């Protein structure tokens, strides 16, 4: 079988001396659908970028890398664009045009494709991905998931031989995720395009893949796909005890809220009613574009309803984690980010050091936030907010881009904040996170809350929203199992103890 990618003894170091890849031997067969797995910060994004010279990171590369028989650096721009395409973690970073149609055409225009052929390519990809209804919409109004679909469609309009994707489903709802993967599967099988996906969610992709490679310690190794075969999550699992005062009044009360982006834009929230009890964790679920982020912004008073009311009793102590964590970064290093609000919020160096250790960022203190991996940026942004000890946490996709162990750490931090009295509202597509960590699940549909229930009743016999027993769920159980053993030991009633 011919090889799409062949790397031997491949190494890479960033300018600051950080060694990410170490003697990597990696092959991708032409026509394969390969999964690339590994912990947050293991170098998956760095490895993918080596195969596309236009986006290769600055640093020192050693060893040998060929994509379809040639070093990526040796190809002219037109040939390179038609050889390898990429879709990375932050879809907004791909988008340069103001409308969906112009974004789809942008790459073709740069290659000098004649107008009639360009129009045909646009029609093909728009129909293939079902994005014709938003063809004339402003890209700034798209949800994160819609931006992800647009980024893939624009990439495939160039007809590359291989597509490299970094966490492509992290911002997609469960139904959109299935549709996206099915479309990617068709691209792979029917069009013969080789696909490589770096992911922390191999469980949902295993049935589409042909093989898998794990990156650990800077080296690559084959892993069997059977290790990722999906199983449904059963039961409620370990759940945080309710803090004192939970349910004692409402933290957020939304009544008949009508919200849209502009006077001529369609309504996003249409007479929405919602109630968030103090001390609770409400997880907002719903399709891409259903209004989850808009509701968070309305609660945060970033967007105002044109009709109705949004009452936020904890507005003075709120903290907002946006979908793009880079919006919170203003400093030149990880440590400076965590120290930025020290004087205003009154926390000391010891708290910063403890948070760095808790988030596994001790070795990254001097690194610019933009040079961190997507998962590391996510953890840094949340850590920065938690140091302020907020009374209301508004979180937009808090677990995206994280491996199972890192998700468990982040979920633990959120749980501890709630145990200390914070109220949490999270918008998420991570069903296992919502199932195991939330106290209430609210499903948004047609601009309203279609259901608001306890996780156990919401997920029971649900046809479309079915959480998987993934790496996060297993880490979460292990974490709480160990905590239960310690608690019993402290009380003297652990197995073999007194009592």
């Amino acid at each position: 079988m011919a090889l799409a990618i062949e790397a031997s003894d491949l190494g890479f170091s960033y300018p600051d001396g950080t060694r990410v890849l170490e003697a990597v031997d990696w092959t991708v067969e032409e026509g394969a659908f390969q999964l690339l797995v590994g912990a947050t910060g293991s170098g998956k994004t760095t490895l993918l970028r080596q195969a596309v010279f236009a986006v290769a990171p600055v640093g020192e590369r050693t060893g040998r890398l060929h994509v379809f028989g040639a070093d990526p650096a040796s190809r002219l721009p037109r040939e390179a664009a038609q050889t390898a395409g990429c879709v990375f973690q932050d879809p907004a970073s791909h988008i340069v045009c103001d409308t969906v149609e112009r974004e789809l055409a942008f790459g073709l225009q740069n290659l000098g494709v004649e107008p009639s052929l360009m129009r045909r390519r646009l029609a093909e990809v728009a129909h293939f991905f079902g994005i014709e209804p938003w063809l004339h919409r402003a890209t700034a109004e798209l949800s994160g998931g819609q931006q992800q679909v647009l980024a893939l469609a624009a990439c495939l309009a160039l007809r590359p031989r291989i597509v490299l994707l970094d966490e492509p489903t992290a911002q997609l709802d469960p139904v959109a995720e299935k549709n996206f993967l099915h479309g990617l599967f068709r691209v792979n099988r029917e069009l013969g395009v080789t696909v490589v996906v770096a992911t922390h969610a191999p469980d949902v992709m295993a049935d589409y893949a042909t093989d898998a490679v794990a990156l650990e310690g800077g080296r690559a190794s084959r892993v069997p796909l059977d290790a990722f075969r999906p199983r449904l999550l059963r039961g409620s699992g370990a759940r945080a005890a309710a803090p004192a005062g939970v349910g004692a009044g409402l933290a957020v009360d939304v009544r008949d809220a009508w919200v849209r982006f502009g006077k001529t834009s369609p309504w996003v929230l249409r007479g929405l009613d919602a109630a968030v009890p103090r001390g609770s964790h409400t997880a907002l679920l719903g399709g891409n574009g259903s209004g989850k982020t808009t509701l968070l912004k309305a609660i945060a008073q970033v967007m105002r309803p044109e009709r109705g009311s949004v009452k936020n009793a904890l507005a003075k102590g709120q903290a907002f984690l946006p979908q793009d964590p880079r919006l919170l970064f203003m400093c030149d290093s990880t440590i400076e980010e965590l120290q930025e609000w020290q004087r205003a919020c009154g926390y000391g160096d010891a708290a910063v050091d403890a948070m760095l250790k808790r988030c596994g960022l001790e070795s990254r203190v001097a690194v610019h936030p933009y040079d961190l991996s997507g998962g590391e940026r996510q953890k840094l942004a949340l850590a920065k907010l938690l140091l302020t000890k907020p009374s209301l946490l508004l979180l937009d996709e808090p677990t995206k881009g994280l491996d199972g162990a890192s998700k468990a750490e982040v979920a633990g931090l959120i749980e501890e904040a709630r145990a200390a009295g914070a109220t949490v509202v999270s918008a998420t597509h991570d069903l296992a996170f919502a199932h195991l960590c939330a106290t209430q699940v609210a499903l948004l549909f047609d601009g309203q809350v279609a259901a608001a229930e306890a996780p156990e009743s919401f997920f029971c016999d649900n046809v479309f929203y079915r959480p998987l027993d993934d790496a996060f769920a297993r880490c979460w159980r292990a974490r709480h199992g160990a905590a239960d053993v310690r608690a019993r030991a402290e009380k003297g009633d652990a197995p073999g103890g007194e009592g």
Side-chain angles (χ1 to χ4, degrees):
M1 174 68 75
L3 294 178
I5 294 179
E6 183 180 14
S8 59
D9 202 31
L10 182 66
F12 184 79
S13 298
Y14 282 97
D16 64 359
T18 303
R19 188 75 169 171
V20 180
L21 304 178
E22 189 71 54
V24 171
D25 294 322
W26 176 42
T27 58
V28 180
E29 293 185 349
E30 185 173 0
F33 190 126
Q34 185 180 97
L35 304 183
L36 183 62
V37 301
T40 299
S42 62
K44 299 185 299 297
T45 300
T46 300
L47 182 57
L48 286 187
R49 286 181 179 268
Q50 301 299 317
V52 185
F53 181 70
V55 295
V58 175
E60 181 183 354
R61 195 188 90 183
T62 58
R64 177 174 172 270
L65 173 65
H66 279 182
V67 178
F68 289 104
D71 190 311
S74 68
R75 287 192 165 98
L76 295 174
R78 173 185 286 273
E79 183 187 5
Q82 295 175 334
T83 299
C86 54
V87 178
F88 290 116
Q89 287 183 16
D90 300 309
S93 65
H94 285 262
I95 295 173
V96 295
C97 297
D98 58 345
T99 68
V100 171
E101 182 178 28
R102 288 173 180 164
E103 183 65 28
L104 290 174
F106 181 75
L108 297 170
Q109 289 171 333
N110 278 272
L111 291 182
V113 175
E114 62 146 352
S116 61
L117 178 57
M118 187 188 309
R119 188 68 180 169
R120 175 180 170 179
R121 294 270 190 94
L122 260 62
E124 289 173 350
V125 295
H127 181 68
F128 189 90
F129 287 102
I131 61 178
E132 293 152 293
W134 4 307
L135 199 60
H136 301 289
R137 282 185 63 184
T139 52
E141 294 181 3
L142 299 180
S143 70
Q146 289 170 325
Q147 289 177 345
Q148 192 74 291
V149 173
L150 174 58
L152 178 61
C155 172
L156 288 175
L158 302 177
R159 302 276 184 88
R161 298 174 66 186
I162 182 171
V163 178
L164 304 118
L165 305 100
D166 195 354
E167 296 291 346
T169 64
Q171 299 188 66
L172 299 182
D173 67 78
V175 176
E177 179 181 56
K178 289 285 187 184
N179 291 336
F180 182 94
L181 290 174
H182 182 66
L184 197 58
F185 178 78
R186 287 181 56 206
V187 167
N188 173 244
R189 297 298 200 272
E190 296 175 17
L191 304 182
V193 176
T194 305
V195 173
V196 181
V197 183
T199 181
H200 290 306
D203 309 71
V204 298
M205 301 184 189
D207 289 338
Y208 300 95
T210 58
D211 65 313
V213 169
L215 199 58
E216 184 177 2
R219 297 175 183 269
S221 60
R222 297 276 172 179
V223 290
L225 283 171
D226 285 343
F228 309 122
R229 298 298 177 191
R231 294 178 300 170
L232 292 178
L233 181 60
R234 302 293 185 185
S236 60
R239 191 178 300 282
V246 66
L250 295 180
V252 176
D253 188 14
V254 183
R255 300 284 181 92
D256 192 31
W258 292 75
V259 181
R260 56 184 172 181
F261 289 99
K263 292 294 184 182
T264 60
S265 300
W267 294 105
V268 182
L269 304 183
R270 304 163 54 86
L272 182 141
D273 296 318
V276 178
R278 287 178 180 265
S280 67
H281 179 173
T282 297
L284 305 178
L285 302 182
N288 293 112
S290 62
K292 300 184 298 297
T293 298
T294 301
L295 178 55
L296 284 182
K297 289 180 177 180
I299 293 171
Q301 300 176 353
V302 175
M303 296 181 73
R304 302 279 184 174
E306 292 184 31
R307 283 188 273 165
S309 65
V310 178
K311 296 180 180 178
N312 180 350
L314 304 177
K316 292 183 179 180
Q318 71 182 16
F320 187 99
L321 177 70
Q323 263 188 32
D324 185 353
R326 292 176 299 184
L327 295 174
L328 291 179
F329 301 149
M330 301 295 291
C331 303
D332 293 328
S333 69
T334 296
I335 186 70
E336 288 174 314
E337 285 294 347
L338 295 185
Q339 293 171 337
E340 185 187 6
W341 298 333
Q342 263 186 310
R343 183 174 299 178
C345 298
Y347 57 87
D349 290 340
V352 172
D353 292 342
M355 188 63 76
L356 282 168
K357 184 176 181 180
R358 182 65 186 276
C359 294
L361 295 172
E362 315 103 291
S363 64
R364 312 289 275 163
V365 291
V367 178
H368 194 285
Y370 281 33
D371 292 331
L372 297 173
S373 74
E376 288 170 333
R377 286 198 297 266
Q378 195 75 3
K379 290 196 288 185
L380 174 61
L382 180 61
K384 186 173 183 177
L385 296 180
L386 290 175
L387 283 170
T388 68
K389 299 190 180 303
S391 54
L392 175 63
L393 267 173
L394 303 172
L395 308 173
D396 201 350
E397 298 291 352
T399 62
K400 74 179 176 68
L402 299 177
D403 63 83
S406 294
K407 279 186 186 181
E409 285 296 333
V410 164
L413 288 168
I414 295 169
E415 182 183 72
E416 288 170 15
R418 195 173 73 83
T423 301
V424 181
V425 184
S426 62
T428 185
H429 294 307
D430 190 334
L431 300 185
F433 170 72
H435 194 331
L436 295 175
C437 301
T439 58
Q440 175 180 238
V441 173
L443 176 66
L444 270 64
F445 172 73
D446 193 29
Q448 298 180 342
V449 174
E453 304 174 22
E456 294 86 348
S457 59
F458 179 84
F459 289 111
C460 180
D461 296 324
N462 199 307
V463 176
F464 299 110
Y465 288 81
R466 308 177 75 186
L468 296 178
D469 190 13
D470 58 11
F472 160 67
R474 295 189 290 273
C475 288
W476 189 249
R477 284 198 301 272
R479 171 193 173 92
H480 277 267
D484 289 345
V485 169
R486 286 196 299 272
R488 288 197 299 270
E490 289 169 0
K491 291 180 180 179
D493 59 358
E498 296 180 3

